[in-house]
Amino acid sequence: MSGTEGVLVVSGTGTEIGKTVATAALAACAVRDGRSVAVLKAVQTGVAQGEPGDAAEVARLAGPRVTVAEIARYPEPLAPATAARRAGLPYVGPADIAEAAEKLAAAHDLVLVEGAGGLLVRFDAAGGTVADAARALAAPVVVVAAPGLGTLNATALTAEALGARGLTCAGAVVGSLPATPDLATRCNLAEWQEATGLPLAGALPERAAALPPARFRASAPEWLAPELGGVWRLADPGG
Ligand SMILES: Nc1ncnc2c1ncn2[C@@H]1O[C@H](COP(=O)(O)OP(=O)(O)OP(=O)(O)O)[C@@H](O)[C@H]1O
Ligand SMILES: C[C@H](N)[C@H](N)CCCCCC(=O)O
Ligand SMILES: [Mg+2]
């Protein structure tokens, strides 16, 4: 089994797509392989101070051996730049994200950086994105995507945006795969690389986040391809 090290940015085709759950699975695989892991939720929006956000969800699923951190949070469930402006709070831009990730990387084998929403969501008034942070870090990007009808276009657009910025994709991961995939999903999985330009490197079952955490950690390698630290392979989806 190979795996991940250094800094990896976990982005996706949009919000509520399974980035946090996929991040927890990536972290769990690396911990199982004996690596020290930190997860940085760059900016959390839509969660009040003291409430559990994405970092807490990663800690719950991936376990106490994973260091979790968050740079800032803003109360309204909006893009970070918008939420910061409306709250009258300082922006957290790509350079801040890169600096925080580098600090964590000095003390961990693997740092996973989760953005907010998709790749081009704005973090500051200058329009800085998590793609800019990935560039500053020279970090590969994992693209978490939906499985069903419409995902091929959204994933291909994300692939183009990565390519235009000279960024490397570490693989696309389906964030939540139904137990009984419909026709579009089966066809999407079969055509993924050809249609999107990104290699498919895993798929989390839709029940993953509801599993008891110990079971989540034990099962995570089944959901991620060897290049992401697991043993997943695409079974014939019948598309
Ligand atoms: N594989 C899965 N199993 C169970 N629940 C899932 C799975 N994938 C996503 N979910 C649920 O869907 C919701 C959105 O997932 P998640 O929080 O990972 O999205 P996200 O892409 O990280 O969104 P954001 O942009 O807000 O960070 C959550 O309530 C999560 O528990
Ligand atoms: C609040 C939400 N869950 C995310 N944290 C932020 C998503 C911003 C998406 C912006 C957009 O693409 O329209
Ligand atoms: Mg998230």
Side-chain angles (χ1 to χ4, degrees):
M1 188 187 296
S2 69
T4 49
E5 57 187 19
V7 181
L8 207 51
V9 170
V10 182
S11 189
T13 55
T15 189
E16 294 285 304
I17 212 88
K19 291 187 301 297
T20 300
V21 186
T23 300
L26 285 159
C29 286
V31 166
R32 282 174 70 89
D33 280 353
R35 293 190 190 76
S36 57
V37 182
V39 170
L40 176 65
K41 173 67 181 182
V43 173
Q44 177 73 62
T45 67
V47 178
Q49 296 298 336
E51 286 181 359
D54 286 1
E57 177 67 352
V58 169
R60 182 184 74 81
L61 290 170
R65 288 168 64 188
V66 177
T67 302
V68 296
E70 178 188 291
I71 305 173
R73 63 171 57 185
Y74 311 117
E76 295 179 317
L78 299 168
T82 316
R85 176 176 53 76
R86 286 175 52 88
L89 290 168
Y91 296 107
V92 171
D96 304 308
I97 298 169
E99 186 186 340
E102 271 164 1
K103 273 193 192 138
L104 290 167
H108 296 85
D109 299 321
L110 172 67
V111 179
L112 300 165
V113 179
E114 183 187 342
L119 188 69
L120 301 187
V121 168
R122 293 158 66 96
F123 278 70
D124 62 16
T129 66
V130 78
D132 297 318
R135 259 174 76 124
L137 289 158
V141 179
V142 173
V143 175
V144 182
L149 198 63
T151 201
L152 296 180
N153 176 64
T155 306
L157 288 171
T158 302
E160 280 208 5
L162 289 172
R165 288 161 180 76
L167 292 167
T168 304
C169 180
V173 173
V174 167
S176 184
L177 183 66
T180 310
D182 65 11
L183 175 63
T185 296
R186 296 196 307 274
C187 291
N188 288 349
L189 295 179
E191 295 173 19
W192 194 277
Q193 171 130 20
E194 190 187 352
T196 71
L198 298 184
L200 188 59
L204 277 65
E206 63 183 348
R207 68 180 191 287
L211 290 172
R215 182 85 192 284
F216 180 95
R217 286 165 220 158
S219 303
E222 296 164 26
W223 309 329
L224 296 170
E227 55 271 33
L228 295 182
V231 297
W232 176 90
R233 272 169 182 278
L234 181 61
D236 181 358

